Amino acid sequence: MFTLLIAVPSAIKVFNWIGTIWRGNINYTPATLFAVGFVSLFISGGLTGIFLGNSALDIPLHDTYFVVAHFHIVMAMAGGYGMLAGLYHWFPKMFNGRQLNNTMGYIHFWLTFVGSYLIFWPMHYLGMTGVPRRYLTLENFTTFNGYEDLNKFISIVVILVFCVQLLFVINFFHSIFHGRKITVRNPFDYNSLEWTTPIEPGHGNWPGEIPTVYRWPYDYEKDGYAFIPQHIPDSALVEKDTTVRS
Ligand code: HEM
Ligand code: HEM
């Protein structure tokens, strides 16, 4: 019963994330895709948590691959996607304005996304038929004869998804030195303060005055403006154009 209470804040956060992008003018960059992918995985893994939180269902499912599937989707995959979204998003801030290659980013996202579900979705079925966790081999269980094919399929997809991550590693290190540079401080029209620092920030981040913050960083598509950066005072917003880009 108390375990199930965790579904309440989880659901609030999910509605919060979906509500934030609902009917928004979304630019599907690799960073956005990984962020949306995170929400998808968090929902998928959270739903199976509700199964496990019911004692009647958890008695047969406990210590089976259903649990392994649940926590990898909600923790291992979703968590990883959050980190990847951050890397794609802040890469130009980390490496003096250089960007990751977008095409490689899209390939990385789609193959990883499809792969994540192909790896962990079948594990639910293994778990529902009773395959236990933490066993080196199922050879001695005649009941599970014939499940090797599914396990082999999962292993092959894991190897493929691992190779796709190598593609990301290559993109990462190549882009640090050779990535296309952003030409203005805030080329993607973000509101938050880090995009007001110089393309190659020095010690202290801002060379002169530290900017004044006038609002929170979430004012997108508001009052006729596509975006309103935090450091732009209300008085500068009279003309509805893109001069807020700075
Ligand atoms: C709706 C929300 C969730 C519910 C109701 C839920 C419920 C459960 C339950 C009941 C189990 C035990 C299953 C068993 O061993 O029989 C379990 C296992 C687990 N859950 Fe969740 N969960 C939720 C979300 C999460 C989240 C957000 C994470 C981590 C980010 C997570 C990580 C884990 C891990 C690591 C295990 C396995 C621990 C182990 O035995 O090695 N769960 N979950
Ligand atoms: C695609 C990547 C991954 C694959 C294919 C994978 C696969 C597996 C498998 C098959 C098991 C079950 C082993 C068993 O019960 O005999 C396992 C256990 C586990 N994995 Fe992963 N894993 C991956 C990534 C991760 C990541 C990134 C995390 C952490 C965030 C993680 C955390 C765990 C934990 C906590 C266990 C339970 C260990 C235990 O039973 O004591 N895994 N993993």
Side-chain angles (χ1 to χ4, degrees):
M1 164 67 204
F2 279 106
T3 306
L4 285 173
L5 286 180
I6 192 63
V8 176
S10 305
I12 291 173
K13 280 311 298 171
V14 165
F15 284 120
N16 175 202
W17 293 321
I18 295 175
T20 302
I21 59 171
W22 188 255
R23 300 176 73 180
N25 183 8
I26 304 163
N27 190 4
Y28 284 102
T29 59
T32 318
L33 287 175
F34 273 106
V36 174
F38 157 81
V39 178
S40 161
L41 289 158
F42 193 81
I43 294 172
S44 308
L47 285 177
T48 54
I50 297 172
F51 288 66
L52 295 170
N54 281 292
S55 338
L57 285 172
D58 195 37
I59 288 167
L61 292 177
H62 173 69
D63 258 345
T64 68
Y65 260 74
F66 194 92
V67 179
V68 178
H70 154 70
F71 73 75
H72 278 91
I73 289 190
V74 79
M75 176 186 82
M77 294 298 107
Y81 277 49
M83 288 184 243
L84 286 168
L87 281 178
Y88 276 100
H89 180 78
W90 280 296
F91 195 86
K93 287 285 109 196
M94 291 191 281
F95 298 107
N96 288 331
R98 296 214 179 264
Q99 299 171 67
L100 283 164
N101 180 295
N102 251 4
T103 311
M104 279 171 91
Y106 287 122
I107 296 171
H108 177 215
F109 170 76
W110 283 111
L111 294 182
T112 309
F113 187 65
V114 174
S116 307
Y117 275 105
L118 287 182
I119 293 167
F120 293 109
W121 200 258
M123 282 190 194
H124 292 98
Y125 296 102
L126 289 177
M128 281 190 282
T129 50
V131 174
R133 303 171 61 177
R134 299 173 169 162
Y135 276 64
L136 181 61
T137 166
L138 301 175
E139 262 172 23
N140 298 332
F141 296 92
T142 43
T143 337
F144 303 131
N145 280 355
Y147 292 169
E148 296 88 353
D149 287 348
L150 198 49
N151 272 327
K152 270 188 204 143
F153 170 78
I154 292 173
S155 303
I156 291 165
V157 183
V158 170
I159 293 164
L160 293 177
V161 169
F162 177 78
C163 294
V164 176
Q165 304 318 301
L166 294 183
L167 193 74
F168 169 71
V169 173
I170 292 168
N171 188 10
F172 188 89
F173 286 105
H174 186 264
S175 302
I176 290 177
F177 305 105
H178 306 289
R180 201 155 48 90
K181 270 210 160 190
I182 54 174
T183 47
V184 286
R185 291 180 181 195
N186 185 14
F188 313 112
D189 298 348
Y190 295 135
N191 282 346
S192 46
L193 221 49
E194 71 274 25
W195 299 96
T196 65
T197 60
I199 295 172
E200 296 192 19
H203 184 68
N205 291 326
W206 288 274
E209 286 280 299
I210 291 177
T212 307
V213 172
Y214 294 94
R215 63 183 66 73
W216 70 347
Y218 304 111
D219 282 352
Y220 289 97
E221 299 293 340
K222 198 183 166 197
D223 299 337
Y225 294 95
F227 67 110
I228 314 177
Q230 289 182 283
H231 68 295
I232 304 293
D234 286 345
S235 55
L237 294 179
V238 268
E239 284 176 37
K240 293 189 177 174
D241 59 21
T242 49
T243 47
V244 285
R245 185 185 288 262
S246 91

